[in-house]
Amino acid sequence: MHDINELNDKIKHLLDNIEKVIVGKSDVIQKVLVALLARGHLLIEDVPGVGKTSLAQSLSKSLNLLFKRIQFTSDILPTDITGVSIYDQKDMEFKFRPGPLFANLVLADEINRAAPKAQSALLEAMNDNQVSVDNITHKLPEPFMVIATQNPLEYYGTYPLPESQLDRFMMKIKMGYPSSAYEKKMLLERTNGFNKININPVFNAGELVDMQKMVEKVKIEDSLLNYMVSIITASRESKHLGLGVSPRGGLIFQQAVRAHALLEGRDYVIPDDFKELAVPILAHRVIGNARKGSYQRRSEDTDIIIEEIVNSIPVPI
């Protein structure tokens, strides 16, 4: 796939396919596709029942990807996620049995319910697309994406994600409730409540990999690179932030704006790409100076701070 018009047709078909399940959330779906095309991972933080799991499932079906769901609990072990080596008495040797992490699209449900040791089992996979067990490295399938969910209102029995784990996620978004019109539409279409909607694949994993390679060819002018660096530097110098955006955050930001430009039908980046993605890409990578006792409140504060920083940086002409 080398034609951008052909890509636009595919993307439109994909959006329409997912919106059969997730109604009225085209902006959310677009951000999910940005993370997917940019080879990133996604953290969805929201209340239960807004469609986080359905979004992941409909995405995997639309792309004909191998999908696995991991329910994170307080007693889950790293080997429950990555896999384990078991002794085979017949062959008299240890054989590796892959865990649910070996899939194209992995849903890490309620990730903050697991202890830090279990959470850390995802770090190598998310960073290097591989898993090491008993000093042996196993490559993960391509493409590979983790979509993790966490409930901001549940604090009993949860372990907040450390900064190093949050930094592995390309983007953090919220689903939000549907508008009244879309909620009524959903109720009329699904008279049986939670009946499933069958959707057919739009294209396959191989075509998705080709699209991911196209992202790397999207051009960013030097003036726009300076604009991005100014945003990142301002986050590190802000008196409202105790921790600014890391160098990895800058690399991820660059890849994400390229993917956003491609989704918009362009092979070049414009300032609006940075403005659209600054908060979901950068806000979860920083820490505000004023801690107010609530992870949710802290998250809201950093969203505002990042938005103010972006608005304060002159846009290159």
Side-chain angles (χ1 to χ4, degrees):
M1 188 186 301
H2 302 287
D3 182 35
I4 199 164
N5 293 322
E6 182 186 353
L7 174 65
N8 288 341
D9 292 339
K10 290 276 190 182
I11 292 297
K12 187 178 185 306
H13 194 179
L14 179 58
L15 282 167
D16 293 342
N17 220 34
I18 298 175
E19 284 189 328
K20 293 177 184 177
V21 180
I22 309 297
V23 295
K25 292 292 175 184
S26 57
D27 58 329
V28 171
I29 296 170
Q30 187 181 50
K31 286 183 173 61
V32 174
L33 295 182
V34 166
L36 181 66
L37 288 183
R39 304 175 195 260
H41 307 286
L42 182 71
L43 178 63
I44 306 177
E45 183 182 73
D46 220 318
V47 296
V50 294
K52 300 186 292 290
T53 302
S54 297
L55 175 61
Q57 289 175 332
S58 59
L59 180 62
S60 67
K61 288 180 180 178
S62 295
L63 299 171
N64 201 23
L65 299 176
L66 177 60
F67 174 79
K68 296 285 181 69
R69 178 180 178 270
I70 306 172
Q71 180 60 56
F72 279 72
T73 57
S74 59
D75 59 350
I76 194 170
L77 300 173
T79 51
D80 295 330
I81 300 167
T82 59
V84 64
S85 294
I86 298 177
Y87 186 72
D88 188 318
Q89 291 185 338
K90 182 180 178 181
D91 295 332
M92 291 189 295
E93 64 179 4
F94 283 93
K95 292 185 177 179
F96 178 65
R97 292 192 177 179
L101 200 57
F102 285 78
N104 297 120
L105 182 59
V106 177
L107 175 64
D109 215 358
E110 296 184 300
I111 188 173
N112 57 336
R113 284 195 173 280
K117 189 174 182 179
Q119 292 178 8
S120 66
L122 290 172
L123 290 177
E124 183 184 10
M126 294 172 67
N127 206 55
D128 302 317
N129 280 32
Q130 64 183 34
V131 168
S132 298
V133 178
D134 297 332
N135 295 322
I136 299 175
T137 298
H138 306 271
K139 295 296 293 183
L140 293 169
E142 190 178 359
F144 174 73
M145 181 183 190
V146 172
I147 296 181
T149 72
Q150 63 177 10
N151 182 355
L153 301 182
E154 279 286 353
Y155 295 103
Y156 296 105
T158 60
Y159 302 83
L161 298 180
E163 280 71 27
S164 59
Q165 182 94 47
L166 285 171
D167 205 39
R168 295 311 200 279
F169 287 100
M170 172 170 278
M171 199 180 302
K172 190 183 88 168
I173 63 171
K174 296 179 180 180
M175 295 281 292
Y177 292 115
S179 66
S180 298
Y182 280 114
E183 187 146 20
K184 181 180 178 180
K185 180 177 183 290
M186 180 180 67
L187 292 171
L188 289 171
E189 289 178 351
R190 305 184 195 182
T191 54
N192 295 330
F194 297 102
N195 60 314
K196 294 183 179 179
I197 296 177
N198 293 322
I199 55 177
N200 297 317
V202 176
F203 46 89
N204 57 39
E207 291 175 292
L208 174 59
V209 171
D210 288 341
M211 291 165 64
Q212 290 175 333
K213 291 176 180 176
M214 288 179 68
V215 171
E216 299 168 5
K217 298 176 182 177
V218 175
K219 298 183 289 291
I220 303 181
E221 295 293 336
D222 193 60
S223 61
L224 289 178
L225 280 176
N226 292 335
Y227 177 61
M228 184 182 74
V229 170
S230 297
I231 294 171
I232 293 169
T233 302
S235 76
R236 297 169 184 167
E237 297 174 348
S238 173
K239 64 181 181 180
H240 302 295
L241 296 175
L243 178 69
V245 178
S246 69
R248 175 167 47 214
L251 292 170
I252 286 174
F253 197 16
Q254 176 183 239
Q255 191 71 353
V257 295
R258 281 186 165 127
H260 186 266
L262 198 62
L263 282 174
E264 293 290 316
R266 289 179 272 105
D267 62 354
Y268 56 90
V269 171
I270 61 174
D272 284 348
D273 295 319
F274 292 96
K275 291 186 174 183
E276 180 71 23
L277 295 180
V279 170
I281 295 288
L282 304 179
H284 66 285
R285 303 177 188 282
V286 300
I287 299 178
N289 276 330
R291 304 252 177 158
K292 301 185 179 180
S294 165
Y295 180 78
Q296 182 190 14
R297 181 62 183 268
R298 190 180 79 181
S299 174
E300 291 172 352
D301 287 347
T302 55
D303 286 1
I304 295 169
I305 293 167
I306 291 296
E307 194 169 349
E308 289 175 347
I309 287 173
V310 172
N311 291 334
S312 69
I313 305 295
V315 176
I317 299 174

